[in-house]
Amino acid sequence: SWTFDLFLPPELVDLRLGGTQGAVHERFEPGQTVFREGELGDRIYFVLAGRAEVVRGDRVLAELGPGEFFGEMALLGSAPRNATVRCKEATTVLGIPKREFGLLAANVPGLRATFDEVMRRRGTRPQLNDVA
């Protein structure tokens, strides 16, 4: 990176080579947004504690709690996020990056079929606790 120091400002020289950040625990405060509609889908999130709501425009599509997940539609559908997710209370999630999730979905028997079924239900009839 010292070679780049000669040509680029210091804040542009921080290179991160190799490895990606894998699954991580993230904590969000009440009212904090996890992601917004239209953003690039880079992770799926599993709710470990707390509650979050899925919103499109002014309409709340779902309220999600422990054991539920969101963000899979953008990953499996290779599309931008179709809703905004914000926390109703302090919420802890397990975030799994797109690449690792893709490997799991492709190699764990039945996992892809399970998510395909959830996407089908969420895509055709948005209902409370049935959209993310």
Side-chain angles (χ1 to χ4, degrees):
S1 71
W2 62 268
T3 304
F4 289 116
D5 286 337
L6 298 172
F7 306 105
L8 301 172
E11 61 273 5
L12 295 179
V13 178
D14 185 16
L15 297 177
R16 295 177 191 230
L17 302 174
T20 61
Q21 187 177 17
V24 294
H25 283 98
E26 297 181 65
R27 182 170 168 83
F28 296 93
E29 297 303 320
Q32 190 173 0
T33 298
V34 178
F35 58 73
R36 296 187 190 289
E37 184 175 355
E39 290 181 350
L40 177 66
D42 61 346
R43 289 184 175 272
I44 183 172
Y45 298 89
F46 294 87
V47 180
L48 302 177
R51 300 205 70 70
E53 60 185 3
V54 180
V55 180
R56 187 176 300 133
D58 293 334
R59 186 171 161 222
V60 175
L61 301 175
E63 187 174 308
L64 304 172
E68 296 180 286
F69 56 88
F70 56 90
E72 79 291 341
M73 292 179 80
L75 296 188
L76 293 173
S78 297
R81 301 287 191 192
N82 65 5
T84 296
V85 175
R86 67 178 172 235
C87 298
K88 292 189 69 167
E89 57 189 55
T91 302
T92 302
V93 298
L94 175 66
I96 299 179
K98 182 177 185 171
R99 180 179 180 279
E100 284 82 352
F101 178 67
L103 289 170
L104 285 172
N107 293 293
V108 175
L111 185 63
R112 177 64 194 234
T114 299
F115 281 101
D116 284 343
E117 174 59 21
V118 170
M119 283 179 45
R120 186 192 64 73
R121 284 186 294 139
R122 290 180 177 178
T124 57
R125 287 183 311 172
Q127 297 176 357
L128 192 61
N129 291 328
D130 202 27
V131 175

